[in-house]
């Protein structure tokens, strides 16, 4: 077997390390030992994100298919994303077309021949296109090829497979539209006069955040593409880093028609003076904010003299016994595919086919304008991936870092690249395990290390960091880090509100919640075409007083199989230590129990809004912490693909589970909804220190003993004498 080798460089602060990348082998063997020739080397794995060249080809193909020059000029490209293939195609690619070549992924009958095609199906792109002239949305499927992806002269067109109009929807907003809304509002004469009444004559000071309209009445319906912007005002036009969110503009109601770039509603309802300039408002270094930075912070160096322990081949990552693929989409941002663990003689054991964050909702608890309509769907209305930004060495991540770029189509059909968008690195995580024998004084201790994959996005005033951590003991932790600037309101002098916290003179932060939805297409010990998973709920019960509990100390864990989708709408319960286990119905551990992974909730909450709250029409999925569905590749987003201005009640999860499909043995998808209630503090100003929230996937009977028992000791950790 021959292999060509190439290298890629990994950032390490000011230095570099080299990670070997193994190229496609020219020959390989099937499980029966017969060599198989790769007739056509494929550049992209079926799950690799679209390259910049593929996006260009896809956009050009759609544009060329326009029926007239007018239609082509009116096309706006909201999204271009990979059409993810069926799971058996992924398995075929991993088994025979891409290293490390895993034929065991494809189950076959004993003695049957391995039939391997000469090439994989062509990759496809899915484009969401908004027609600015007709206010119509359509979805296009374009077939690509290797020559298209290479974009080396010749063909620069793919093949249109389908074009489907989607009625009664509005797609996500785009950065181009943000800028257009700001320009439209700042040139509107009644708005200029309203700002003059507040003492603002320089429109360069004004900040217009183009929030989506939501849906509160028929006037917000998708027949018009609307924005209801929120206004802020800086104090210094020549200070680009000044915190303009410190001066919210209250009392002005504006609705912008984004299709035609015109203000269609304007009212100066109430003259609320702008908050005075707060001397604590800025967050820039030292003297630039009128303060002094600490002088006693010494350097902290993360050093890996032999380089990182992970290996990267394209988007395929191997770290110790973990392996998975990295993807990225405009809505979700980071996606992890084909997550598996190499378990000695048992080989590669799948855990999940696909992991991602698919939606987040931020409802505010102040009934006053404009805060009552602050109910942003940050994934569906804006796009977590499209709002991501470049990460900086030594700031967002430390140590040896492998970065991944992300490519998107912009609104006009060009390609934009976010460099260093995804960060992959190792982190020390304290003690992994330890025991000291009290008789001998000898101790064994191991330090924990984790592999972290992350990205960070900015959505108006807030920042969100999304992290997946892989541990040496088989755990996977999902974490969100919340930071950024509070969305504020102005007060009349002497006024206070019970729906928020006053954090500066005439300035308050409304109470609100942040909800996140993780979609986990599980595959515990399942090969791609197997559907052998089920979900059980575990609750701890107290034994009733009586002959079985004479000492009043007895309690036990009780399991309940979630048999159908309606039965699987569940909430967290810390009083019963509630958690859920995804089990394989055909595979057992050494005690004869089914192998599984359990979902361990972190802190969580449910919406405080009444059930009749209008934003819950679009966010019915927030009513429960856990949903379980039978896999359907078209069921991707819990509030439907187009939550923006959506007039339909219960789109997405609440509608899908009405089918009440059986879950006793199937291909399982977990939807975990987790949130935090943010009661703002003065310490959250002017920029909020990171708040952490998340959950853990933990092996439960998946291994026969601790998988961390073979982690070697550090050089100074063996046989340490008791102090």
């Amino acid at each position: 077997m021959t292999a060509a080798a190439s290298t890629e460089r990994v950032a390490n602060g000011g230095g570099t390390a080299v990670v070997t990348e193994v190229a496609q082998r020219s020959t390989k063997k099937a499980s029966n030992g017969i060599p198989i020739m790769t007739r056509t080397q494929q550049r992209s794995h079926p799950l690799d994100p679209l390259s910049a060249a593929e996006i260009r080809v896809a956009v050009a193909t759609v544009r060329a298919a326009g029926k007239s020059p007018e239609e082509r000029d009116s096309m706006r490209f909201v999204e271009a994303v990979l059409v993810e293939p069926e799971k058996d195609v992924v398995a075929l690619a991993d088994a025979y077309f891409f290293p490390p070549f895993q034929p065991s992924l494809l189950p076959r009958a004993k003695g049957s021949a391995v039939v391997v095609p000469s090439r994989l199906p062509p990759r496809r792109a899915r484009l969401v296109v908004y027609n600015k002239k007709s206010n119509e949305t359509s979805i296009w499927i374009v077939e690509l090829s290797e020559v298209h992806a290479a974009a080396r002269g010749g063909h620069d067109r793919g093949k249109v497979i389908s074009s489907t109009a989607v009625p009664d929807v509005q797609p996500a907003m785009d950065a181009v539209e943000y800028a257009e809304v700001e320009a439209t509002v700042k040139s509107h004469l009644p708005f200029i006069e309203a700002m003059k009444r507040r003492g603002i004559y320089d429109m360069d000071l004004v900040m217009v955040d183009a929030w989506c309209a939501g849906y509160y009445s028929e006037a917000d319906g998708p027949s018009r593409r609307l924005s209801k912007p929120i206004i802020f005002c800086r104090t210094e036009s020549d200070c680009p880093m000044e915190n303009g969110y410190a001066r919210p503009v209250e009392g002005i109601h504006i609705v912008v028609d984004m299709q035609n770039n015109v203000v269609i509603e304007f009212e100066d309802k109430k003259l609320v003076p702008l908050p005075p300039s707060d001397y604590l408002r800025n967050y820039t270094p030292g003297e630039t904010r009128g303060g002094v930075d600490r002088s006693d912070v010494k350097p902290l160096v993360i050093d890996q003299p032999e380089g990182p322990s992970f290996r990267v081949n394209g988007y395929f990552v191997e770290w110790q016994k973990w392996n998975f693929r990295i993807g990225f989409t405009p809505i979700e941002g980071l996606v992890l595919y084909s997550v598996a663990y190499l378990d000695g003689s048992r080989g590669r054991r799948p855990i999940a086919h696909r992991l991602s964050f698919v939606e987040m909702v931020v409802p505010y608890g102040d009934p006053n304008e404009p805060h009552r309509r602050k109910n942003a769907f940050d994934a569906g209305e804006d796009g977590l991936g499209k709002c991501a930004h470049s990460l900086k060495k030594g700031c967002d991540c430390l140590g040896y870092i492998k970065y991944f770029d992300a490519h998107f189509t912009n609104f006009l059909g060009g390609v934009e690249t976010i460099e260093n968008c995804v960060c992959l690195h190792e982190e020390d995580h304290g003690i992994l395990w330890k025991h000291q024998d009290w008789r001998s004084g000898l101790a064994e201790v191991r330090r924990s290390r984790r592999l972290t994959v992350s990205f960070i996005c900015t959505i108006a005033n807030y920042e969100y960091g999304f992290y997946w951590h892989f541990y040496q003991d088989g755990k996977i932790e999902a974490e969100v880090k919340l930071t950024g600037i509070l969305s504020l309101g102005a007060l009349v002098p002497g006024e206070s509100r019970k729906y928020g916290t006053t954090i500066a003179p005439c300035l308050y932060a409304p109470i609100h919640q942040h909800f996140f939805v993780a979609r986990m297409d599980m595959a515990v010990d399942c090969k791609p075409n197997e559907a052998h998973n089920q979900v059980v709920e575990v609750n701890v019960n107290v034994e009733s007083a009586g002959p079985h509990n004479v000492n009043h100390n007895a309690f036990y864990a009780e399991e309940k199989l979630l048999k159908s989708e309606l039965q699987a709408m569940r909430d967290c319960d810390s009083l019963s230590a509630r958690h859920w286990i995804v089990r394989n119905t055909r595979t057992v551990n050494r005690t004869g129990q089914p192998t599984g992974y359990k979902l361990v909730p972190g802190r969580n909450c449910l919406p405080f809004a009444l059930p009749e709250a209008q934003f819950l029409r679009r966010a019915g999925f927030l009513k429960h912490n856990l949903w379980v569905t039978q896999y359907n590749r078209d069921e991707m987003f819990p509030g439907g693909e187009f939550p923006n201005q959506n007039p339909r009640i219960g789109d997405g999860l609440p509608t899908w589970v009405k089918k009440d499909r059986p879950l006793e043995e199937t291909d399982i998808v977990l939807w975990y909804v987790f949130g935090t209630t943010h009661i703002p503090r003065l310490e959250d100003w002017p920029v909020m220190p990171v708040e952490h929230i998340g959950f853990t996937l933990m092996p439960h009977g998946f291994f026969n003993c601790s998988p961390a028992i073979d982690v070697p000791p550090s050089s100074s950790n063996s046989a340490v004498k008791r102090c």
Side-chain angles (χ1 to χ4, degrees):
M1 206 177 277
T2 61
S6 62
T7 61
E8 62 183 24
R9 299 201 171 272
V10 180
N12 177 32
T16 59
V18 175
V19 177
T20 301
E21 184 179 279
V22 181
Q24 174 87 25
R25 292 174 171 88
S26 59
T27 63
K28 50 192 179 288
K29 293 183 179 181
S31 56
N32 58 7
I34 300 174
I36 302 172
M37 298 300 296
T38 305
R39 297 190 181 95
T40 305
Q41 179 174 333
Q42 305 216 193
R43 298 174 182 274
S44 299
H45 185 277
L47 291 177
D48 285 354
L50 293 180
S51 67
E54 287 176 314
I55 293 173
R56 289 189 192 96
V57 169
V59 168
T61 302
V62 170
R63 185 168 272 146
K67 295 183 177 67
S68 65
E70 185 179 56
E71 180 181 347
R72 293 192 286 271
D73 290 343
S74 297
M75 286 180 174
R76 299 294 183 267
F77 295 87
V78 178
E79 175 185 305
V81 68
L82 174 74
V83 175
E84 296 176 14
E86 297 287 357
K87 296 179 181 181
D88 57 348
V89 174
V90 176
L92 180 65
D94 289 338
Y96 296 112
F97 284 81
F98 291 87
F101 306 115
Q102 304 162 84
S104 62
L105 284 175
L106 293 175
R108 60 188 179 89
K110 281 189 176 181
S112 63
V114 177
V115 180
V116 181
S118 61
R119 61 174 297 111
L120 295 168
R123 282 159 59 84
R124 292 184 173 185
R126 182 180 188 272
L127 297 91
V128 176
V129 180
Y130 172 72
N131 189 295
K132 195 169 176 67
K133 181 174 178 58
S134 64
N135 192 37
E136 295 175 341
T137 300
S138 56
I139 296 175
W140 298 68
I141 306 297
V142 174
E143 186 174 283
L144 306 166
S145 73
E146 293 298 328
V147 67
H148 297 146
R152 289 192 230 150
H155 294 291
D156 61 352
R157 298 286 186 274
K159 177 183 177 182
V160 174
I161 301 300
S162 64
S163 171
T164 307
V166 187
D168 205 28
V169 300
Q170 284 293 340
M173 289 178 62
D174 186 85
V176 169
E177 293 179 300
Y178 302 158
E180 289 175 344
V181 167
E182 182 165 67
T184 298
V185 170
K186 289 165 72 169
S187 63
H188 188 61
L189 291 179
F191 174 77
I192 294 172
E193 292 302 315
M195 293 307 297
K196 288 180 180 178
R197 284 192 288 275
R198 290 160 174 80
I200 302 300
Y201 295 85
D202 182 359
M203 285 296 106
D204 289 339
L205 295 174
V206 177
M207 297 165 40
V208 180
D209 279 8
W211 283 54
C212 288
Y215 186 86
Y216 300 92
S217 68
E218 292 183 7
D220 299 324
S223 60
R224 299 181 299 178
R225 187 162 175 80
L226 303 177
S227 171
K228 295 181 180 179
I230 298 176
I231 314 300
F232 303 88
C233 186
R234 301 197 309 275
T235 59
E236 303 173 60
S237 60
D238 59 348
C239 182
M241 287 297 290
E242 185 195 354
N243 183 5
Y245 290 111
R247 300 179 81 202
V249 178
E250 294 272 357
I252 294 179
H253 169 75
I254 312 173
V255 179
V256 177
D257 178 339
M258 295 189 294
Q259 178 191 1
N260 301 299
N261 293 331
V262 295
V263 174
I264 57 175
E265 292 182 25
F266 180 87
E267 185 178 358
D268 191 352
K269 293 185 172 183
K270 181 181 180 182
L271 181 59
V272 179
L274 287 172
S277 179
D278 179 15
Y279 74 98
L280 295 177
R281 69 188 181 279
N282 289 333
Y283 50 89
T284 50
E287 294 180 357
T288 62
R289 69 170 193 279
V292 178
D293 287 340
R294 303 180 190 190
S295 59
D296 57 351
V297 180
K298 305 300 183 185
L300 176 63
V301 178
I302 308 297
D303 186 27
Q304 293 178 265
E306 297 181 21
S309 299
F310 58 78
R311 292 177 293 171
V312 178
N313 179 0
Y315 290 92
F316 183 67
V317 177
E318 296 174 283
W319 179 72
Q320 299 194 30
K321 298 184 178 185
W322 288 104
N323 59 72
F324 54 86
R325 289 191 173 276
I326 287 177
F328 206 87
T329 74
I331 294 178
E332 304 156 281
L334 177 63
V335 179
L336 299 182
Y337 301 104
S338 305
V339 178
Y341 193 93
L342 293 176
D343 186 19
S345 62
R346 301 188 71 167
R348 181 186 184 277
R349 301 180 66 189
I351 295 167
H353 175 71
R354 194 181 193 279
L355 304 173
S356 69
F357 296 95
V358 287
E359 190 55 273
M360 62 171 292
V361 183
V362 188
Y364 280 69
D366 188 336
N368 297 284
E369 285 284 357
H371 313 289
R372 69 172 184 84
R373 57 181 173 81
K374 289 181 178 177
N375 301 293
F377 287 61
D378 286 335
E381 291 179 342
D382 295 283
L384 302 178
K386 290 177 72 173
C387 294
H389 45 76
S390 295
L391 304 176
K392 292 181 172 57
K393 291 181 292 186
C395 299
D396 300 297
C397 306
L398 294 176
Y400 282 94
I401 304 165
K402 164 62 182 171
Y403 287 116
F404 297 85
D405 297 342
H407 307 289
F408 301 103
T409 176
N410 62 27
F411 209 43
L412 301 177
V415 177
E416 295 184 0
T417 296
I418 303 175
E419 296 182 346
N420 298 350
C421 186
V422 172
C423 173
L424 173 74
H425 72 293
E426 295 174 286
E427 296 178 340
D428 178 86
H429 196 64
I431 293 177
L432 177 62
W433 58 262
K434 179 176 182 176
H435 180 67
Q436 180 169 291
D437 189 310
W438 67 270
R439 292 179 175 85
S440 66
L442 297 177
E444 289 288 339
V445 60
R446 303 292 187 269
R447 288 203 67 77
S448 176
R449 182 184 302 196
R450 67 184 185 184
L451 182 72
T452 295
V453 198
S454 63
F455 81 103
I456 301 174
C457 63
T458 298
I459 303 176
N461 52 296
Y462 261 114
E463 266 75 22
Y464 301 96
F466 295 90
Y467 298 78
W468 292 97
H469 305 292
F470 293 84
Y471 291 87
Q472 293 161 302
D473 60 356
K475 293 199 302 286
I476 304 171
E477 180 187 6
E479 181 184 26
V480 180
K481 297 180 181 180
L482 299 81
T483 181
I485 300 174
L486 298 165
S487 183
L488 304 170
L491 300 172
V492 174
E495 181 187 10
S496 64
R497 286 189 186 168
K498 67 179 181 179
Y499 305 107
T501 302
T502 301
I503 60 170
C506 300
L507 190 65
Y508 87 109
I511 190 171
H512 58 282
Q513 295 180 288
H514 299 260
F515 290 100
F516 306 88
V517 185
R519 180 183 182 274
M520 294 169 279
D521 181 357
M522 302 300 291
V524 176
D525 267 336
C526 287
K527 294 176 181 179
N529 60 347
E530 294 178 342
H532 300 155
N533 281 177
Q534 61 181 205
V535 180
V536 297
E537 179 175 285
V538 181
N539 290 282
V540 173
N541 296 327
V542 176
E543 188 70 68
S544 300
H548 298 293
N549 192 14
V550 294
N551 295 309
H552 299 175
N553 69 311
F555 57 95
Y556 61 96
E558 184 176 53
E559 295 183 357
K560 176 184 177 182
L561 175 64
L562 302 181
K563 296 182 178 181
S564 70
E565 291 177 328
L566 288 177
Q567 193 181 93
M569 297 185 298
R570 309 297 297 162
D571 295 329
C572 295
D573 183 0
S574 60
L575 297 180
S576 68
R578 181 173 293 169
H579 59 274
W580 299 275
I581 305 173
V582 181
R583 283 188 170 148
N584 188 290
T585 57
R586 309 288 181 93
T587 306
V588 297
N589 53 40
R590 68 173 179 167
T591 66
Q593 302 299 312
T595 61
Y597 255 76
K598 70 177 180 179
L599 191 165
V600 183
R603 63 185 178 90
N604 209 335
C605 62
L606 290 169
F608 282 104
L610 295 174
E612 299 80 14
Q614 289 174 314
F615 81 92
L616 288 174
R617 293 170 53 106
R618 300 186 294 149
F621 53 87
L622 297 184
K623 294 179 180 180
H624 296 287
N625 297 128
L626 182 80
W627 306 70
V628 186
T629 59
Q630 192 179 107
Y631 170 77
N632 183 319
R633 65 176 298 170
D634 296 324
E635 295 177 358
M636 283 298 301
F637 303 105
E641 184 176 7
F642 301 105
N644 187 13
Q645 297 179 235
N646 183 6
R648 294 168 293 281
I649 299 176
D651 256 11
L653 266 175
T655 296
W656 301 333
V657 299
K658 289 179 181 178
K659 303 172 188 175
D660 204 22
R661 293 165 289 195
L663 300 174
E664 293 183 73
E665 185 180 62
T666 189
D667 192 347
I668 291 290
V669 178
L670 297 180
W671 309 76
Y672 182 60
V673 182
F674 59 106
T676 181
T677 301
H678 190 178
I679 304 172
R681 312 167 299 152
L682 270 67
E683 291 85 354
D684 291 330
W685 183 250
V687 63
M688 175 183 163
V690 163
E691 182 173 346
H692 303 257
I693 185 173
F695 62 93
T696 303
L697 294 173
M698 184 181 297
H700 189 276
F702 190 80
F703 301 103
N704 287 328
C705 68
S706 168
I709 197 67
D710 61 355
V711 174
S714 301
S715 58
S716 60
N717 286 346
S718 295
V720 177
K721 287 285 185 181
R722 182 169 60 183
C723 297

